[in-house]
Amino acid sequence: DAKTTQPTSMDCAEGRAANLPCNHSTISGNEYVYWYRQIHSQGPQYIIHGLKNNETNEMASLIITEDRKSSTLILPHATLRDTAVYYCIVRVYNTGNQFYFGTGTSLTVIP
Amino acid sequence: NAGVTQTPKFRVLKTGQSMTLLCAQDMNHEYMYWYRQDPGMGLRLIHYSVGEGTTAKGEVPDGYNVSRLKKQNFLLGLESAAPSQTSVYFCASRTHQRGPYNEQFFGPGTRLTVL
């Protein structure tokens, strides 16, 4: 599975959009991009995933560049409850083996 | 529907003691996983299972054993605990079915301290 690179930490003002980048320059054609988040002391929570098209759900939007070497998770209106560590993971769809969690981006939403 | 549950929530062991962590899921998921998370680090996979009676090694399997005798349960064993195994342990499960989601559901974690 391709490795990912994310900034260690970011701040965002409450009510503004939070844009979290992820680089995955060695991604292969059959690997999907997944985003999870982990609120302090809890288990990680799935947010969204995509292959090459942009995706949106009730939690967030995922923008994947045309060459698929990077992506951005967008939380459109960040709230204090969005303060968490966000993990970007790339892996082959629907295989039984592991997700490789890196160290993620620690997002702090500021009042 | 409880999702993924873990037992116990907290435990303190002395070096050399043994224990078993229990993970249970009621979603009829085929795949189950055990991760550990050390302070300031992401999750690392210890062992996983793609079905009842099967297990496989993950990224950091040494010092741990697992068993999947029943589909709904995944046990993680420490035969001789070491201080390096002090960590928070998370269990996860997901369906094997093809579909729009490949989501892993995580349990609340077990905080283990080895003295």
Side-chain angles (χ1 to χ4, degrees), chain A residues 74-89:
Chain A
I74 301 172
L75 309 177
H77 305 287
T79 70
L80 299 179
R81 288 175 294 181
D82 292 323
T83 293
V85 177
Y86 289 77
Y87 298 98
C88 169
I89 302 160

Side-chain angles (χ1 to χ4, degrees), chain B residues 6-59:
Chain B
Q6 294 182 230
T7 309
K9 289 185 170 54
F10 303 93
R11 185 72 185 268
V12 178
L13 290 178
K14 294 182 180 178
T15 297
Q17 286 185 316
S18 64
M19 78 162 294
T20 300
L21 282 66
L22 170 64
C23 175
Q25 52 93 6
D26 60 2
M27 296 173 283
N28 201 35
H29 285 169
E30 289 290 336
Y31 299 153
M32 296 188 73
Y33 308 81
W34 274 108
Y35 293 88
R36 63 177 286 174
Q37 185 173 35
D38 301 318
M41 298 183 66
L43 282 75
R44 293 183 292 169
L45 185 70
I46 305 171
H47 286 279
Y48 64 99
S49 168
V50 299
E52 183 178 322
T54 71
T55 62
K57 294 180 179 180
E59 187 183 356

Side-chain angles (χ1 to χ4, degrees), chain A residues 36 38 49 93 95 98-99, chain B residues 37 45 94 99-100 102 104:
Chain A
Y36 280 73
Q38 186 175 24
H49 78 284
Y93 175 73
T95 56
Q98 55 261 47
F99 279 62
Chain B
Q37 185 173 35
L45 185 70
R94 71 169 181 87
N102 198 15
Q104 288 193 10

Side-chain angles (χ1 to χ4, degrees), chain B residues 32-107:
Chain B
M32 296 188 73
Y33 308 81
W34 274 108
Y35 293 88
R36 63 177 286 174
Q37 185 173 35
D38 301 318
M41 298 183 66
L43 282 75
R44 293 183 292 169
L45 185 70
I46 305 171
H47 286 279
Y48 64 99
S49 168
V50 299
E52 183 178 322
T54 71
T55 62
K57 294 180 179 180
E59 187 183 356
V60 288
D62 294 341
Y64 304 95
N65 56 74
V66 288
S67 64
R68 184 96 182 270
L69 299 179
K70 294 183 179 180
K71 184 177 182 179
Q72 64 267 33
N73 295 336
F74 195 28
L75 304 178
L76 177 71
L78 287 72
E79 289 186 349
S80 180
S84 61
Q85 294 178 304
T86 294
S87 189
V88 180
Y89 292 85
F90 289 100
C91 175
S93 73
R94 71 169 181 87
T95 179
H96 70 292
Q97 295 174 352
R98 294 188 179 275
Y101 291 103
N102 198 15
E103 176 182 354
Q104 288 193 10
F105 293 84
F106 283 83

